[in-house]
Amino acid sequence: MADKLETYERIVDAGVVAVMRGIGEDDVVPVARALHEGGVEALEVTADATRASELIADVDRALAETDAVVGAGTVLDEAMAVNVIEAGADYILAPHFDRGMVTTCNRYGKIAIPGVATPTEAVEAAEAGADMLKVFPASDLGPGYISAIQGPLGQLPIVATGGVSPDNVDEFFAAGATAVGAGSAMIDYDAIDRGDMDGVREHAARFVEAVADARSE
């Protein structure tokens, strides 16, 4: 388990978070390993899964000796935040801003990344102590929104999530995003269904390469 500063630096350095949603219980750990082998350092297990806390703990244990940081996504309130933190989550993401979630993360020394879609939400999240802002849904709001929000809130890193793909990731980094979050664009669900973890690894590696190329421009 990484400390807060180390977690923050790993997310920023990686530039991408893999959103592991809708993956069967038996596949979560093999998929997490395959993603990490493909170059993904930041993994998000969504808390809307059945027995999510157990899955987070499983992934955390499986990757404990690696440079991976394991977080929890779709955390809707303070109670959910406590559960996933106790399971081993190093950072917490939400699709919205919930003050209790952010406060809980600060209390336990974890990275809080609430979702925002308006300047008001962004300012309120910043004032509550958010460490990063998850702009969601990024594809609907567009890269232009990332640029615009950087004006008043340029001190907070932005994680653009929702509809980010290898085809448009360069636009979000060019607009000022610090990192992006990706689910189906990074995770090959057909390969998972086939039990093809090599395919999962290779698909993830292509996304990681697209991120690296976008950040080097």
Side-chain angles (χ1 to χ4, degrees):
M1 184 177 296
D3 64 28
K4 186 170 184 176
L5 178 59
E6 185 179 2
T7 299
Y8 179 87
E9 290 176 342
R10 287 190 191 178
I11 294 171
V12 172
D13 289 346
V16 61
V17 178
V19 182
M20 299 176 61
R21 184 187 304 280
I23 299 172
E25 293 180 29
D26 293 338
D27 292 324
V28 167
V29 168
V31 169
R33 285 198 178 107
L35 292 172
H36 183 258
E37 290 168 0
V40 181
E41 295 180 23
L43 301 159
E44 171 192 337
V45 180
T46 58
D48 54 350
T50 303
R51 290 188 283 276
S53 293
E54 295 177 26
L55 298 179
I56 291 166
D58 289 344
V59 173
D60 183 54
R61 283 191 295 267
L63 299 178
E65 301 303 318
T66 73
D67 60 357
V69 283
V70 180
T74 320
V75 177
L76 304 181
D77 53 35
E78 181 176 355
M80 291 179 71
V82 171
N83 287 338
V84 296
I85 288 170
E86 290 178 345
D90 289 315
Y91 56 98
I92 309 296
L93 302 99
H96 69 311
F97 166 56
D98 179 81
R99 188 174 297 274
M101 183 277 278
V102 175
T103 299
T104 298
C105 287
N106 287 326
R107 183 182 303 131
Y108 286 91
K110 304 299 179 182
I111 298 294
I113 313 175
V116 300
T118 69
T120 298
E121 290 174 341
V123 170
E124 290 179 350
E127 291 177 345
D131 298 287
M132 308 176 87
L133 298 177
K134 172 181 171 179
V135 171
F136 176 82
S139 60
D140 291 332
L141 293 168
Y145 182 75
I146 306 291
S147 297
I149 207 169
Q150 286 285 299
L153 292 168
Q155 74 278 12
L156 276 182
I158 289 176
V159 182
T161 306
V164 179
S165 71
D167 295 329
N168 64 18
V169 68
D170 58 330
E171 299 175 22
F172 288 101
F173 282 112
T178 294
V180 297
S184 57
M186 170 180 283
I187 301 173
D188 189 337
Y189 284 86
D190 290 336
I192 294 172
D193 290 340
R194 297 192 304 269
D196 178 11
M197 293 304 126
D198 287 339
V200 173
R201 183 187 68 248
E202 292 164 5
H203 192 80
R206 287 192 288 272
F207 197 107
V208 170
E209 183 179 2
V211 169
D213 289 345
R215 299 177 90 188
S216 65
E217 292 179 357

